[in-house]
Every structure is written in structure tokens, then in C-alpha cells.
mmCIF file of all heavy atoms in Angstrom:
data_model
loop_
_atom_site.group_PDB
_atom_site.id
_atom_site.type_symbol
_atom_site.label_atom_id
_atom_site.label_comp_id
_atom_site.label_asym_id
_atom_site.label_seq_id
_atom_site.Cartn_x
_atom_site.Cartn_y
_atom_site.Cartn_z
ATOM 1 N N VAL A 197 23.605 23.226 -48.076
ATOM 2 C CA VAL A 197 24.889 23.813 -48.245
ATOM 3 C C VAL A 197 25.594 24.127 -46.877
ATOM 4 O O VAL A 197 24.898 24.830 -46.138
ATOM 5 C CB VAL A 197 24.712 24.947 -49.261
ATOM 6 C CG1 VAL A 197 26.086 25.711 -49.385
ATOM 7 C CG2 VAL A 197 24.218 24.728 -50.558
ATOM 8 N N THR A 198 26.703 23.520 -46.654
ATOM 9 C CA THR A 198 27.290 23.705 -45.418
ATOM 10 C C THR A 198 28.528 24.773 -45.384
ATOM 11 O O THR A 198 28.969 25.165 -44.386
ATOM 12 C CB THR A 198 27.923 22.407 -44.927
ATOM 13 O OG1 THR A 198 28.835 21.866 -45.892
ATOM 14 C CG2 THR A 198 26.771 21.356 -44.706
ATOM 15 N N ALA A 199 28.755 25.221 -46.552
ATOM 16 C CA ALA A 199 29.732 26.361 -46.678
ATOM 17 C C ALA A 199 29.519 27.065 -47.987
ATOM 18 O O ALA A 199 28.870 26.588 -48.981
ATOM 19 C CB ALA A 199 31.204 25.743 -46.784
ATOM 20 N N ASP A 200 29.848 28.397 -47.866
ATOM 21 C CA ASP A 200 29.635 29.188 -49.193
ATOM 22 C C ASP A 200 30.311 28.615 -50.452
ATOM 23 O O ASP A 200 31.470 28.001 -50.335
ATOM 24 C CB ASP A 200 30.156 30.625 -49.047
ATOM 25 C CG ASP A 200 29.496 31.382 -47.963
ATOM 26 O OD1 ASP A 200 28.319 30.971 -47.632
ATOM 27 O OD2 ASP A 200 29.968 32.570 -47.622
ATOM 28 N N ILE A 201 29.582 28.514 -51.594
ATOM 29 C CA ILE A 201 30.099 27.872 -52.732
ATOM 30 C C ILE A 201 30.085 28.983 -53.920
ATOM 31 O O ILE A 201 29.037 29.518 -54.091
ATOM 32 C CB ILE A 201 29.335 26.740 -53.177
ATOM 33 C CG1 ILE A 201 29.237 25.614 -52.022
ATOM 34 C CG2 ILE A 201 29.767 26.047 -54.494
ATOM 35 C CD1 ILE A 201 28.320 24.524 -52.364
ATOM 36 N N ALA A 202 31.131 29.203 -54.646
ATOM 37 C CA ALA A 202 31.094 30.079 -55.760
ATOM 38 C C ALA A 202 30.598 29.311 -56.947
ATOM 39 O O ALA A 202 30.652 28.170 -57.109
ATOM 40 C CB ALA A 202 32.510 30.612 -56.046
ATOM 41 N N ALA A 203 30.008 30.120 -57.954
ATOM 42 C CA ALA A 203 29.561 29.404 -59.196
ATOM 43 C C ALA A 203 30.694 28.740 -59.864
ATOM 44 O O ALA A 203 31.869 29.358 -59.944
ATOM 45 C CB ALA A 203 29.028 30.639 -60.104
ATOM 46 N N GLY A 204 30.430 27.543 -60.274
ATOM 47 C CA GLY A 204 31.566 26.840 -60.979
ATOM 48 C C GLY A 204 32.430 26.014 -59.997
ATOM 49 O O GLY A 204 33.158 25.053 -60.513
ATOM 50 N N GLU A 205 32.392 26.245 -58.623
ATOM 51 C CA GLU A 205 33.079 25.542 -57.750
ATOM 52 C C GLU A 205 32.513 24.130 -57.536
ATOM 53 O O GLU A 205 31.295 23.974 -57.509
ATOM 54 C CB GLU A 205 33.201 26.231 -56.310
ATOM 55 C CG GLU A 205 33.981 25.572 -55.313
ATOM 56 C CD GLU A 205 33.922 26.370 -53.949
ATOM 57 O OE1 GLU A 205 33.353 27.560 -54.038
ATOM 58 O OE2 GLU A 205 34.368 25.832 -52.957
ATOM 59 N N PRO A 206 33.218 23.100 -57.496
ATOM 60 C CA PRO A 206 32.591 21.772 -57.360
ATOM 61 C C PRO A 206 32.020 21.540 -55.940
ATOM 62 O O PRO A 206 32.377 22.045 -54.978
ATOM 63 C CB PRO A 206 33.869 20.725 -57.608
ATOM 64 C CG PRO A 206 35.034 21.650 -57.159
ATOM 65 C CD PRO A 206 34.716 23.077 -57.522
ATOM 66 N N PHE A 207 30.861 20.793 -55.994
ATOM 67 C CA PHE A 207 30.229 20.348 -54.746
ATOM 68 C C PHE A 207 31.108 19.288 -54.154
ATOM 69 O O PHE A 207 31.638 18.370 -54.920
ATOM 70 C CB PHE A 207 28.942 19.798 -55.072
ATOM 71 C CG PHE A 207 27.871 20.724 -55.570
ATOM 72 C CD1 PHE A 207 27.343 20.687 -56.849
ATOM 73 C CD2 PHE A 207 27.462 21.805 -54.864
ATOM 74 C CE1 PHE A 207 26.358 21.460 -57.253
ATOM 75 C CE2 PHE A 207 26.457 22.740 -55.249
ATOM 76 C CZ PHE A 207 25.933 22.644 -56.541
ATOM 77 N N THR A 208 31.417 19.420 -52.756
ATOM 78 C CA THR A 208 32.204 18.394 -52.136
ATOM 79 C C THR A 208 31.586 18.081 -50.847
ATOM 80 O O THR A 208 30.617 18.675 -50.317
ATOM 81 C CB THR A 208 33.679 18.949 -51.836
ATOM 82 O OG1 THR A 208 33.564 20.050 -50.914
ATOM 83 C CG2 THR A 208 34.274 19.545 -53.176
ATOM 84 N N ALA A 209 32.214 17.059 -50.186
ATOM 85 C CA ALA A 209 31.635 16.724 -48.849
ATOM 86 C C ALA A 209 31.918 17.732 -47.874
ATOM 87 O O ALA A 209 31.307 17.700 -46.669
ATOM 88 C CB ALA A 209 32.318 15.409 -48.392
ATOM 89 N N SER A 210 32.782 18.760 -48.253
ATOM 90 C CA SER A 210 32.912 19.894 -47.329
ATOM 91 C C SER A 210 32.012 21.016 -47.459
ATOM 92 O O SER A 210 31.897 21.878 -46.515
ATOM 93 C CB SER A 210 34.369 20.429 -47.467
ATOM 94 O OG SER A 210 35.355 19.408 -47.209
ATOM 95 N N ASN A 211 31.267 20.953 -48.510
ATOM 96 C CA ASN A 211 30.244 22.242 -48.690
ATOM 97 C C ASN A 211 28.885 21.724 -48.985
ATOM 98 O O ASN A 211 28.004 22.505 -48.938
ATOM 99 C CB ASN A 211 30.792 23.114 -49.775
ATOM 100 C CG ASN A 211 30.896 22.464 -51.130
ATOM 101 O OD1 ASN A 211 30.254 21.397 -51.473
ATOM 102 N ND2 ASN A 211 31.895 22.962 -51.921
ATOM 103 N N VAL A 212 28.692 20.434 -48.981
ATOM 104 C CA VAL A 212 27.228 19.884 -49.133
ATOM 105 C C VAL A 212 27.140 18.711 -48.157
ATOM 106 O O VAL A 212 28.051 17.932 -48.076
ATOM 107 C CB VAL A 212 26.874 19.478 -50.611
ATOM 108 C CG1 VAL A 212 25.581 18.772 -50.636
ATOM 109 C CG2 VAL A 212 27.081 20.566 -51.558
ATOM 110 N N ALA A 213 26.010 18.452 -47.441
ATOM 111 C CA ALA A 213 25.831 17.377 -46.678
ATOM 112 C C ALA A 213 24.333 17.090 -46.570
ATOM 113 O O ALA A 213 23.467 17.878 -46.776
ATOM 114 C CB ALA A 213 26.319 17.705 -45.202
ATOM 115 N N SER A 214 23.949 15.831 -46.173
ATOM 116 C CA SER A 214 22.599 15.368 -45.834
ATOM 117 C C SER A 214 22.322 15.675 -44.449
ATOM 118 O O SER A 214 22.961 15.014 -43.577
ATOM 119 C CB SER A 214 22.528 13.768 -46.202
ATOM 120 O OG SER A 214 21.258 13.409 -45.740
ATOM 121 N N LEU A 215 21.372 16.594 -44.275
ATOM 122 C CA LEU A 215 21.045 17.027 -42.835
ATOM 123 C C LEU A 215 19.560 17.170 -42.731
ATOM 124 O O LEU A 215 18.801 17.296 -43.756
ATOM 125 C CB LEU A 215 21.712 18.309 -42.513
ATOM 126 C CG LEU A 215 23.358 18.305 -42.641
ATOM 127 C CD1 LEU A 215 23.755 19.767 -42.528
ATOM 128 C CD2 LEU A 215 23.912 17.556 -41.445
ATOM 129 N N ARG A 216 19.066 17.281 -41.550
ATOM 130 C CA ARG A 216 17.749 17.678 -41.267
ATOM 131 C C ARG A 216 17.539 19.177 -41.417
ATOM 132 O O ARG A 216 18.443 19.904 -41.097
ATOM 133 C CB ARG A 216 17.231 17.235 -39.903
ATOM 134 C CG ARG A 216 17.291 15.739 -39.632
ATOM 135 C CD ARG A 216 16.714 15.406 -38.304
ATOM 136 N NE ARG A 216 16.769 14.062 -37.942
ATOM 137 C CZ ARG A 216 16.371 13.436 -36.865
ATOM 138 N NH1 ARG A 216 15.740 14.245 -35.991
ATOM 139 N NH2 ARG A 216 16.417 12.143 -36.636
ATOM 140 N N PRO A 217 16.383 19.694 -41.782
ATOM 141 C CA PRO A 217 15.191 19.098 -42.139
ATOM 142 C C PRO A 217 15.087 18.890 -43.731
ATOM 143 O O PRO A 217 15.944 19.221 -44.426
ATOM 144 C CB PRO A 217 14.133 20.113 -41.666
ATOM 145 C CG PRO A 217 14.760 21.412 -41.901
ATOM 146 C CD PRO A 217 16.286 21.168 -41.700
ATOM 147 N N ILE A 218 13.826 18.607 -44.204
ATOM 148 C CA ILE A 218 13.524 18.540 -45.624
ATOM 149 C C ILE A 218 13.687 20.081 -46.141
ATOM 150 O O ILE A 218 13.279 20.970 -45.520
ATOM 151 C CB ILE A 218 12.177 17.982 -45.768
ATOM 152 C CG1 ILE A 218 12.251 16.414 -45.943
ATOM 153 C CG2 ILE A 218 11.530 18.471 -47.195
ATOM 154 C CD1 ILE A 218 10.997 15.610 -46.221
ATOM 155 N N GLY A 219 14.010 20.190 -47.361
ATOM 156 C CA GLY A 219 14.059 21.520 -47.958
ATOM 157 C C GLY A 219 14.884 21.420 -49.241
ATOM 158 O O GLY A 219 14.615 22.083 -50.314
ATOM 159 N N GLY A 220 15.949 20.639 -49.189
ATOM 160 C CA GLY A 220 16.694 20.505 -50.466
ATOM 161 C C GLY A 220 16.394 19.197 -51.164
ATOM 162 O O GLY A 220 15.414 18.480 -50.989
ATOM 163 N N ALA A 221 17.341 18.745 -52.086
ATOM 164 C CA ALA A 221 17.263 17.556 -52.830
ATOM 165 C C ALA A 221 17.357 16.345 -51.906
ATOM 166 O O ALA A 221 17.815 16.373 -50.771
ATOM 167 C CB ALA A 221 18.259 17.466 -53.973
ATOM 168 N N GLU A 222 16.792 15.154 -52.384
ATOM 169 C CA GLU A 222 16.831 13.980 -51.584
ATOM 170 C C GLU A 222 18.332 13.582 -51.335
ATOM 171 O O GLU A 222 19.237 13.741 -52.014
ATOM 172 C CB GLU A 222 16.058 12.860 -52.404
ATOM 173 C CG GLU A 222 14.617 12.949 -52.399
ATOM 174 C CD GLU A 222 13.990 11.686 -53.055
ATOM 175 O OE1 GLU A 222 14.694 10.878 -53.609
ATOM 176 O OE2 GLU A 222 12.780 11.576 -52.920
ATOM 177 N N PRO A 223 18.501 12.959 -50.040
ATOM 178 C CA PRO A 223 19.783 12.478 -49.688
ATOM 179 C C PRO A 223 20.423 11.477 -50.720
ATOM 180 O O PRO A 223 21.647 11.408 -50.976
ATOM 181 C CB PRO A 223 19.607 11.763 -48.365
ATOM 182 C CG PRO A 223 18.500 12.553 -47.855
ATOM 183 C CD PRO A 223 17.586 12.859 -49.020
ATOM 184 N N ALA A 224 19.465 10.820 -51.484
ATOM 185 C CA ALA A 224 19.942 9.707 -52.505
ATOM 186 C C ALA A 224 20.759 10.444 -53.554
ATOM 187 O O ALA A 224 21.535 9.870 -54.329
ATOM 188 C CB ALA A 224 18.752 8.975 -53.017
ATOM 189 N N GLN A 225 20.537 11.756 -53.740
ATOM 190 C CA GLN A 225 21.157 12.469 -54.958
ATOM 191 C C GLN A 225 22.678 12.782 -54.546
ATOM 192 O O GLN A 225 23.460 13.207 -55.393
ATOM 193 C CB GLN A 225 20.481 13.770 -55.148
ATOM 194 C CG GLN A 225 19.051 13.481 -55.679
ATOM 195 C CD GLN A 225 19.029 12.969 -57.080
ATOM 196 O OE1 GLN A 225 19.815 13.271 -57.930
ATOM 197 N NE2 GLN A 225 17.904 12.280 -57.333
ATOM 198 N N LEU A 226 22.976 12.701 -53.258
ATOM 199 C CA LEU A 226 24.318 13.162 -52.843
ATOM 200 C C LEU A 226 25.508 12.599 -53.599
ATOM 201 O O LEU A 226 26.381 13.276 -54.048
ATOM 202 C CB LEU A 226 24.583 13.045 -51.251
ATOM 203 C CG LEU A 226 25.913 13.554 -50.769
ATOM 204 C CD1 LEU A 226 25.997 15.060 -50.933
ATOM 205 C CD2 LEU A 226 25.899 13.262 -49.368
ATOM 206 N N PRO A 227 25.581 11.288 -53.754
ATOM 207 C CA PRO A 227 26.764 10.779 -54.460
ATOM 208 C C PRO A 227 26.963 11.241 -55.972
ATOM 209 O O PRO A 227 28.051 11.275 -56.432
ATOM 210 C CB PRO A 227 26.547 9.167 -54.487
ATOM 211 C CG PRO A 227 25.540 8.958 -53.286
ATOM 212 C CD PRO A 227 24.779 10.279 -53.330
ATOM 213 N N TYR A 228 25.782 11.573 -56.441
ATOM 214 C CA TYR A 228 25.789 12.091 -57.879
ATOM 215 C C TYR A 228 26.082 13.655 -58.030
ATOM 216 O O TYR A 228 26.514 14.099 -59.105
ATOM 217 C CB TYR A 228 24.440 11.661 -58.563
ATOM 218 C CG TYR A 228 24.190 10.181 -58.388
ATOM 219 C CD1 TYR A 228 23.378 9.822 -57.439
ATOM 220 C CD2 TYR A 228 24.839 9.266 -59.291
ATOM 221 C CE1 TYR A 228 23.167 8.387 -57.298
ATOM 222 C CE2 TYR A 228 24.634 7.938 -59.155
ATOM 223 C CZ TYR A 228 23.749 7.493 -58.180
ATOM 224 O OH TYR A 228 23.511 6.140 -57.968
ATOM 225 N N VAL A 229 25.736 14.380 -56.914
ATOM 226 C CA VAL A 229 26.031 15.695 -56.853
ATOM 227 C C VAL A 229 27.504 16.049 -56.614
ATOM 228 O O VAL A 229 28.120 16.866 -57.379
ATOM 229 C CB VAL A 229 25.253 16.391 -55.768
ATOM 230 C CG1 VAL A 229 25.777 17.815 -55.419
ATOM 231 C CG2 VAL A 229 23.716 16.366 -56.113
ATOM 232 N N LEU A 230 28.237 15.202 -55.771
ATOM 233 C CA LEU A 230 29.624 15.560 -55.473
ATOM 234 C C LEU A 230 30.473 15.422 -56.603
ATOM 235 O O LEU A 230 30.402 14.551 -57.511
ATOM 236 C CB LEU A 230 30.060 14.540 -54.458
ATOM 237 C CG LEU A 230 29.342 14.515 -53.036
ATOM 238 C CD1 LEU A 230 29.863 13.456 -52.167
ATOM 239 C CD2 LEU A 230 29.477 15.962 -52.380
ATOM 240 N N GLY A 231 31.287 16.520 -56.855
ATOM 241 C CA GLY A 231 32.128 16.534 -58.046
ATOM 242 C C GLY A 231 31.652 17.387 -59.157
ATOM 243 O O GLY A 231 32.408 17.957 -59.998
ATOM 244 N N HIS A 232 30.399 17.666 -59.189
ATOM 245 C CA HIS A 232 29.773 18.581 -60.209
ATOM 246 C C HIS A 232 30.083 19.998 -59.911
ATOM 247 O O HIS A 232 30.054 20.416 -58.651
ATOM 248 C CB HIS A 232 28.214 18.242 -60.327
ATOM 249 C CG HIS A 232 27.931 17.136 -61.099
ATOM 250 N ND1 HIS A 232 27.809 17.166 -62.548
ATOM 251 C CD2 HIS A 232 27.818 15.801 -60.680
ATOM 252 C CE1 HIS A 232 27.509 15.851 -62.925
ATOM 253 N NE2 HIS A 232 27.485 15.032 -61.845
ATOM 254 N N PRO A 233 30.255 20.857 -60.959
ATOM 255 C CA PRO A 233 30.487 22.293 -60.667
ATOM 256 C C PRO A 233 29.085 22.892 -60.275
ATOM 257 O O PRO A 233 27.991 22.538 -60.861
ATOM 258 C CB PRO A 233 30.886 22.889 -62.046
ATOM 259 C CG PRO A 233 30.474 21.822 -62.925
ATOM 260 C CD PRO A 233 30.315 20.565 -62.266
#
């Protein structure tokens, strides 16, 4: 998470990114995450 996100706010390229290190979901999930609340 690259910016604070409120509950229900959509995930976007401005608030979620694929970055180092491991800790979150796999980078392959990013296209499917974007747009979801």
C-alpha cells in the first residue's frame, strides 16, 4: 500500500504497487486487485 486507503475506496495504481520486499500478495495479483473496493 503506497497511500492511505479508506474502507470501500477502490484499489488504484496510486495507492497499490508491486515493490520490494516480500510481505504482501504476489505481483501477479495486481491487475485483478485494481478497481476492487
Side-chain angles (χ1 to χ4, degrees):
V197 176
T198 59
D200 291 347
I201 305 172
E205 183 182 346
F207 294 119
T208 69
S210 298
N211 57 32
V212 176
S214 170
L215 299 168
R216 296 182 184 187
I218 278 181
E222 287 186 347
Q225 298 288 332
L226 182 60
Y228 305 96
V229 167
L230 297 179
H232 281 270

